[in-house]
Amino acid sequence: MKQIQRTSVVRGWLWVMLASLLMTAGLVGGAAPVAMQAEADTDAEPTTVEQATELEEADAEADTTANDNTNGEPDTDATPDANGSAPATVQSRRVAMPSGSNAAVVRIEGMIYGFTLESLERRVDRAMAQGVDIVVIEIHTKGGTLDAGMAISRYIKNLPVYTVAWINDEAYSAGILIASAANEIVMAPASATGDSAPVVMGQDLAPTERAKALSPILEEFRDNARANGYDYALFQAMTVLGVEAYLVEHRETGERMVVNQVDKAVMVDDADPADFDRQRNALSIEERLGQATIDIARDPVHRGQWREIRHVHDGNTLLTMNQTRALEVGLAQEIVANEQELQNYLGAASLTRISPTWSEQLAGFLTNPVVRGVLVIALLLGAYIEFQTPGVGVAGGVALLAVVLLLGAPFVVGLAELWHVLVFLVGLALLITELLWMPGFGFLGIGGVVLMFVGLILAAVPTGGGGGWGPVNLPPPEMWGEVLRSSMFMMLGIFASFIGFYFVTKHFGRIPGLNRLVLEDVSPAWNIGEGRSLPMPGVSGDEAYGEGRIHVGDTGRVTVELRPTGRAEFNGEAIDVVSYGRWIEPGSPVKVVEVHGNRIVVDSVDA
């Protein structure tokens, strides 16, 4: 029977797909990102390098809201000098490197997640093997997962060579956290940084949860500021809504730094720190959120000894800064447009760019949401054509390759987990069950399609840190934007596939390459003698019905295979007919079960 043969073919094709997927999972499987569990101590001593020996322990509390706004800072009144350098009164933190130093540039771009650290480590190891003295981390990112950002920050701090962060051309969220770990920061023209508050989409965090989310970020920024001589108040304003930033100058030494509004009140306005402590202790937890704390002004030697230079940030938004403002307040040391300017600035004898390997570049390309949308089109169209032409052929091979790339590439870069593949396979099994053994398209088919695409969508997004059950790790809150982006391109791919279904169905026999897969019309012909014949005239359903030649219950024989449309012979005439969805091979007896104008529905006589 044709139905049995077709079922066997589909089963065979399915087994080939399953074997390939399992082989892919076994060969290239990698560990998924692990959520950060440890919480940092928010009561650690805040300070800057210039006054590290003068400060007493400060009571710092993570007190803010999870917000993702951009800056609205007041205008500044100072500009760099003509050669683009920072004002002379802003202390430079740059360590003079010996002449003839060798530098290497390693670029971080796109979404920050676990594989970013792995790739960075491999490239830095290659640079170190070449004997470089300076590692430049070029950054172009809007952010990523918190645990990956903090892991990269700690890795950079522990490197045994001098490090420079080159923001080219944006470093938001985890990007500025990574940049702050370097010994110094330089920025490209028309670049920006800041806005580092954790974001939880669709959730309004309670005060405790907000403080818990901010605690490790603020402590990492504090440690980076202490290690590299940055002003912590800048990072605090980038992370905590309500923190203002002031550039102040010591009245006698001319030393400059950026402080928050509470430190400014003590250092400039001669306020009593105890008054702020009493006011803060009287507030509830909710009221403390967004309130700045005394950071560096508890030492009496600071009280009233500074003067305000300018109001850098008003605290109404999260602080973001372009290259000019960052240069003015000493966050950036120089504006560098290209590698030649970077080499001149560093005074390096050589500057080498360490690029990702070809396999990393290919895997990164294949995990791009746009490319994955195209692969979905290849998967669906290939499977559709394959089922229209039974047997494992070119279309089936294309669909199989698309599946391997959709699941294999994320495995290579550490995005996919085994449970993503299992969800996809379960969905595929439900869909096949619906198509072969439970005709129609009901809950099993719909559920199978949903599970398949859930697996594909989550396979391209970092997981871990978002909760879950056992081995099932969900994406962290900051990655739900990527989930939505991945879902959007998947839906576009599905929509484009349905358009493709229509054109393939309508023009199947005229598409180059596909026309070879179409069976020739074997309609019967009249023998008129001497080896000659005339084709039997075909009539459409409306003509046959109008003349009363086709009725419900009439029997005939299939001349062109029904899949489910085709042609059958009734009373010596070839009629266009359609089956109930079953494929019926040529020569099989059929009977008419419905007649609706030009639509004639038939079924096998033995059905």
Side-chain angles (χ1 to χ4, degrees):
M1 292 294 293
K2 183 67 174 179
Q3 180 70 18
I4 295 176
Q5 293 175 352
R6 185 171 59 256
T7 301
S8 299
V9 170
V10 174
R11 286 177 178 172
W13 188 81
L14 175 61
W15 280 115
V16 173
M17 176 181 288
L18 297 182
S20 298
L21 288 175
L22 293 177
M23 183 179 298
T24 300
L27 291 176
V28 299
V34 179
M36 183 182 64
Q37 300 295 332
E39 296 180 27
D41 179 9
T42 58
D43 295 329
E45 179 182 353
T47 183
T48 59
V49 166
E50 289 81 3
Q51 295 183 316
T53 60
E54 300 177 358
L55 303 181
E56 297 179 354
E57 183 173 354
D59 178 22
E61 187 172 357
D63 50 352
T64 186
T65 180
N67 194 296
D68 196 23
N69 294 330
T70 56
N71 67 312
E73 297 83 357
D75 293 336
T76 57
D77 56 7
T79 57
D81 57 25
N83 61 9
S85 301
T89 52
V90 176
Q91 293 79 11
S92 174
R93 296 183 305 276
R94 180 137 190 274
V95 176
M97 299 299 296
S99 60
S101 299
N102 297 314
V105 178
V106 180
R107 183 173 173 86
I108 294 177
E109 62 181 333
M111 179 174 56
I112 303 297
Y113 62 105
F115 182 74
T116 309
L117 173 59
E118 297 175 11
S119 177
L120 176 65
E121 289 175 336
R122 284 193 289 267
R123 286 180 285 159
V124 169
D125 288 343
R126 287 161 52 194
M128 299 286 289
Q130 297 177 12
V132 301
D133 307 294
I134 306 172
V135 172
V136 179
I137 310 297
E138 183 182 8
I139 303 174
H140 175 74
T141 179
K142 293 184 182 297
T145 62
L146 173 61
D147 55 343
M150 296 189 66
I152 295 174
S153 171
R154 293 163 183 163
Y155 170 74
I156 293 174
K157 282 188 293 187
N158 290 324
L159 288 176
V161 295
Y162 194 77
T163 54
V164 177
W166 181 19
I167 299 177
N168 185 20
D169 54 0
E170 59 183 358
Y172 294 111
S173 192
I176 182 57
L177 181 64
I178 293 170
S180 68
N183 296 123
E184 65 175 293
I185 296 174
V186 297
M187 298 179 68
S191 58
T193 188
D195 191 357
S196 190
V199 177
V200 180
M201 294 188 63
Q203 296 186 36
D204 185 12
L205 294 179
T208 301
E209 282 70 24
R210 289 179 183 174
K212 182 176 180 180
L214 286 165
S215 175
I217 303 175
L218 291 174
E219 186 60 21
E220 187 69 15
F221 270 129
R222 194 189 312 273
D223 185 64
N224 292 350
R226 180 187 299 114
N228 300 311
Y230 302 114
D231 293 327
Y232 170 68
L234 289 171
F235 303 132
Q236 190 180 25
M238 293 176 181
T239 311
V240 179
L241 192 67
V243 173
E244 300 179 40
Y246 290 85
L247 180 63
V248 298
E249 182 182 70
H250 197 277
R251 298 179 186 275
E252 296 180 0
T253 66
E255 177 186 0
R256 288 188 174 189
M257 68 173 61
V258 178
V259 297
N260 65 35
Q261 66 265 39
V262 179
D263 283 327
K264 177 259 183 184
V266 175
M267 299 166 67
V268 175
D269 303 329
D270 199 20
D272 186 352
D275 293 339
F276 291 101
D277 291 337
R278 284 191 293 270
Q279 294 174 9
R280 185 172 181 78
N281 292 334
L283 300 176
S284 64
I285 295 179
E286 291 80 2
E287 292 172 330
R288 293 182 186 182
L289 291 174
Q291 296 288 324
T293 57
I294 296 178
D295 186 36
I296 63 174
R298 290 191 181 278
D299 194 319
V301 299
H302 294 298
R303 187 171 174 179
Q305 299 301 307
W306 299 71
R307 61 170 172 264
E308 178 184 344
I309 301 300
R310 73 178 62 89
H311 192 187
V312 176
H313 177 62
D314 58 17
N316 292 329
T317 61
L318 295 173
L319 174 62
T320 60
M321 310 187 79
N322 61 26
Q323 76 285 352
T324 303
R325 286 164 48 78
L327 193 66
E328 290 173 358
V329 299
L331 176 64
Q333 294 297 298
E334 186 63 274
I335 298 176
V336 176
N338 51 53
E339 291 186 11
Q340 185 60 54
E341 291 186 11
L342 179 64
Q343 183 175 353
N344 294 339
Y345 170 71
L346 297 174
S350 66
L351 183 70
T352 305
R353 178 172 291 275
I354 309 296
S355 301
T357 62
W358 69 267
S359 59
E360 292 176 346
Q361 293 176 340
L362 178 61
F365 172 77
L366 293 175
T367 55
N368 184 289
V370 178
V371 176
R372 290 178 66 79
V374 174
L375 290 176
V376 167
I377 297 175
L379 166 62
L380 295 180
L381 280 179
Y384 178 76
I385 295 173
E386 182 68 22
F387 276 103
Q388 293 295 317
T389 56
V392 180
V394 176
V398 171
L400 183 60
L401 178 62
V403 171
V404 173
L405 294 178
L406 282 167
L407 292 175
F411 260 114
V412 172
V413 298
L415 288 174
E417 297 186 14
L418 182 59
W419 73 269
H420 297 148
V421 179
L422 294 178
V423 167
F424 177 86
L425 294 179
V426 169
L428 182 61
L430 292 177
L431 181 60
I432 296 298
T433 300
E434 179 81 22
L435 293 176
L436 297 184
W437 293 287
M438 301 180 65
F441 200 74
F443 292 108
L444 285 181
I446 296 174
V449 171
V450 170
L451 287 178
M452 289 172 63
F453 283 98
V454 166
L456 292 178
I457 290 170
L458 294 182
V461 180
T463 54
W469 308 270
V472 178
N473 296 312
L474 297 179
E478 60 269 25
M479 282 293 102
W480 282 103
E482 287 296 322
V483 173
L484 294 177
R485 185 165 175 255
S486 180
S487 302
M488 179 185 70
F489 283 102
M490 283 288 177
M491 293 300 103
L492 289 175
I494 295 174
F495 178 74
S497 298
F498 278 106
I499 297 176
F501 294 164
Y502 170 78
F503 282 100
V504 168
T505 302
K506 186 173 182 180
H507 305 287
F508 193 83
R510 294 189 292 273
I511 299 176
L514 296 183
N515 53 4
R516 299 181 180 181
L517 304 176
V518 180
L519 295 175
E520 295 183 359
D521 192 337
V522 293
S523 299
W526 286 317
N527 186 359
I528 60 176
E530 298 182 358
R532 294 181 297 169
S533 62
L534 291 175
M536 181 178 293
V539 297
S540 61
D542 54 348
E543 293 171 335
Y545 182 69
E547 295 183 14
R549 285 179 275 181
I550 301 298
H551 302 86
V552 174
D554 288 351
T555 59
R557 190 169 299 276
V558 175
T559 58
V560 177
E561 185 177 14
L562 306 185
R563 291 188 290 170
T565 61
R567 185 169 291 185
E569 176 189 349
F570 293 91
N571 301 321
E573 295 180 306
I575 308 296
D576 294 330
V577 296
V578 61
S579 72
Y580 269 135
R582 302 176 59 193
W583 291 359
I584 305 177
E585 62 184 358
S588 300
V590 292
K591 63 180 178 181
V592 178
V593 293
E594 295 180 24
V595 178
H596 303 285
N598 65 347
R599 176 180 171 84
I600 298 176
V601 183
V602 300
D603 202 357
S604 298
V605 172
D606 57 350

